[in-house]
Amino acid sequence: MDAYLEIRLLPDPEFPVSFLMGALYGKLHRALVTLESSKIGVSFPGYSQSPRRLGDRLRLHGDQAALSQLMTQNWLRGMTDHIQCSDILSVPELVQYRTVSRRQFKTSSERLRRRRMKRKGETWEQAAAAIPDNVERRPDLPYVHLRSQSTEQSFTLFIEQGELREQPTSAEFNTYGLSRQATIPWF
């Protein structure tokens, strides 16, 4: 993973940055599904938990060949008025590494109760006694709203950054450019 490119969202009075990031990230997901690529990772240089946001930049990491193959696709169609895209560049020499991964939360006690009722054949009262309201967790991570290419379901994708490391770890990325094991260069 010696190359990267960066896509910066341009300010737009009609659309908030979070909306544009969701559209851009959704297009990237569709392109990675089409390419069946597991060699491209993502990072968000403007990532922040307080305030909670992904920022206005999406950085794609990989080798020269994988990034070139991605960019030969017409995946940015419809976004060109809203973005500024760099060339494919070499990763700086002195960097640290981190994982960027999806974090899933069991957020709704109502949903958990319905699921339990279906799985165990319980009544609402039994499920409510087994799953109290305080099991709900309020995610504090930045997120993006997406639609899955495989299920066509809309969902919220929470993104978590791992701790900084001195050494990279090789593994595959999913079709969202995320991995719990594989690291991306952080600079």
Side-chain angles (χ1 to χ4, degrees):
M1 187 162 293
D2 57 355
Y4 76 99
L5 67 88
E6 188 167 283
I7 302 170
R8 180 181 298 271
L9 296 169
L10 301 173
D12 190 305
E14 295 181 33
F15 301 106
V17 170
S18 59
F19 177 84
L20 292 173
M21 183 60 78
L24 176 63
Y25 200 60
K27 286 181 173 289
L28 174 65
H29 169 57
R30 288 189 293 280
L32 293 175
V33 167
T34 300
L35 289 173
E36 298 178 356
S37 177
S38 61
K39 299 194 182 310
I40 296 175
V42 300
S43 68
F44 302 88
Y47 181 99
S48 170
Q49 281 187 263
S50 183
R52 183 169 59 169
R53 64 178 180 189
L54 292 174
D56 65 352
R57 292 181 291 158
L58 174 64
R59 196 173 281 165
L60 308 179
H61 305 269
D63 60 29
Q64 180 81 28
L67 292 174
S68 293
Q69 182 183 23
L70 173 66
M71 296 312 287
T72 61
Q73 308 297 309
N74 197 13
W75 71 279
L76 289 171
R77 183 180 56 235
M79 291 294 299
T80 53
D81 291 344
H82 303 284
I83 62 168
Q84 185 177 39
C85 187
S86 75
D87 292 330
I88 297 173
L89 304 167
S90 295
V91 171
E93 286 186 30
L94 298 174
V95 297
Q96 291 184 303
Y97 302 88
R98 73 174 357 139
T99 57
V100 179
S101 60
R102 178 179 183 182
R103 176 84 184 272
Q104 290 179 281
F105 293 91
K106 295 179 181 177
T107 55
S108 169
S109 57
E110 294 244 346
R111 185 183 61 77
L112 293 171
R113 288 175 189 143
R114 284 192 307 268
R115 184 169 180 248
R116 183 178 175 103
M117 288 168 55
K118 187 184 261 185
R119 280 186 16 248
K120 297 197 177 220
E122 294 180 345
T123 66
W124 178 257
E125 291 75 22
Q126 291 169 318
I131 301 174
D133 286 337
N134 65 358
V135 301
E136 288 190 24
R137 295 187 56 198
R138 300 220 182 264
D140 60 350
L141 296 173
Y143 60 89
V144 63
H145 293 289
L146 294 173
R147 179 176 292 276
S148 170
Q149 286 298 286
S150 58
T151 67
E152 293 296 317
Q153 297 283 332
S154 293
F155 68 99
T156 302
L157 178 74
F158 291 94
I159 298 177
E160 181 174 58
Q161 292 185 155
E163 297 296 319
L164 288 172
R165 307 175 185 181
E166 295 300 319
Q167 297 298 317
T169 302
S170 293
E172 292 188 343
F173 294 94
N174 65 20
T175 55
Y176 295 101
L178 303 172
S179 175
R180 287 203 178 283
Q181 294 85 29
T183 56
I184 51 92
W186 186 256
F187 51 95

